[in-house]
Amino acid sequence: MTVFVTKIGTRFYQTTVQQSVENHTMTTSLAPIALDHEPIDIKQVEAVLYSPQGDRYPKMENYNLYPRNGADFDIVQPYAPANMTWYFRWWANHLSSERFPAGSTLVITYEYNSVGAEVINDPNAVADAVWNRQRASHSTSGSMGEAMTALIGLVDDIPGSVWNSLLGSHDQPGSFGGLLNDLVSISSPSTIATAVWNASINGIAAKNMIEFIYDVQGGRWNLDTTTNQMVLYKENNQTEVARFNLIGADGSGTVTSVFERRRTTS
């Protein structure tokens, strides 16, 4: 399963490439079969027919609707655009003269796109999504969510332990106590703000990290078909922020069947 981001209108959504395997019990009517999803590539739809005894019929070949070229079947939208359902349709004249008996099983395999949750590209919306998240959704053992929930159970003991703790007892450099000691000695609000935003997170200043997130989410994204890379720009849609190599399942560069992305500095 491949996960990527798709722009629909002015919004971005998490999209996955999934495989659909459909089993249909056939009759001799050769009626069209409505597919469960819209195939990504109708030329890649595969079909295998089994007799009621489980024997596999000779492999069928899939051709597009025009021209038929002796196809056993095609994938069509016969009532588009009013009805957007895709159908698997037999060409009876190209099947064996014996036809297949009732009770045969048709197995249809293809890939389709599944659009999931919206990807938030607004810093304020990101903050709301984090702080308004339900605790019950994040109880994985060892996670921050589990730790926060456990602390809530100690709410009656926390105030006395925290607020009665002596400030001078927690001044280890790099700790929250050390940071608080430093902040207490700072009198100017602007100086406090500078100290907070310049605080290092994994070697990166907090303000720089937030600016990077804002730039990535606020600007345009472009797929470079020459280099097989995704290029991200700032909000002005001109200044490049980062680029990623796009790699297919076979390890080669691609922009059409992406299975992996890798950050690059060039």
Side-chain angles (χ1 to χ4, degrees), residues 146-209:
E146 181 192 47
M148 292 290 288
T149 301
L151 287 174
I152 292 173
L154 302 174
V155 66
D156 291 336
D157 299 327
I158 290 175
S161 298
V162 173
W163 300 119
N164 293 329
S165 182
L166 297 178
L167 182 63
S169 302
H170 305 283
D171 58 356
Q172 181 177 350
S175 68
F176 282 105
L179 177 61
L180 183 58
N181 273 279
D182 293 339
L183 291 177
V184 168
S185 64
I186 300 174
S187 59
S188 170
S190 62
T191 306
I192 294 176
T194 300
V196 171
W197 292 116
N198 286 339
S200 177
I201 304 176
N202 293 331
I204 303 175
K207 65 177 182 180
N208 293 337
M209 183 174 291

Side-chain angles (χ1 to χ4, degrees), residues 233-264:
Y233 297 87
K234 287 189 175 184
E235 191 176 26
N236 62 17
N237 295 323
Q238 295 181 356
T239 304
E240 182 176 324
V241 177
R243 61 175 58 216
F244 295 83
N245 290 326
L246 304 179
I247 303 169
D250 60 356
S252 62
T254 180
V255 295
T256 58
S257 299
V258 180
F259 279 74
E260 181 181 0
R261 73 170 192 175
R262 296 178 185 173
R263 177 76 181 275
T264 179

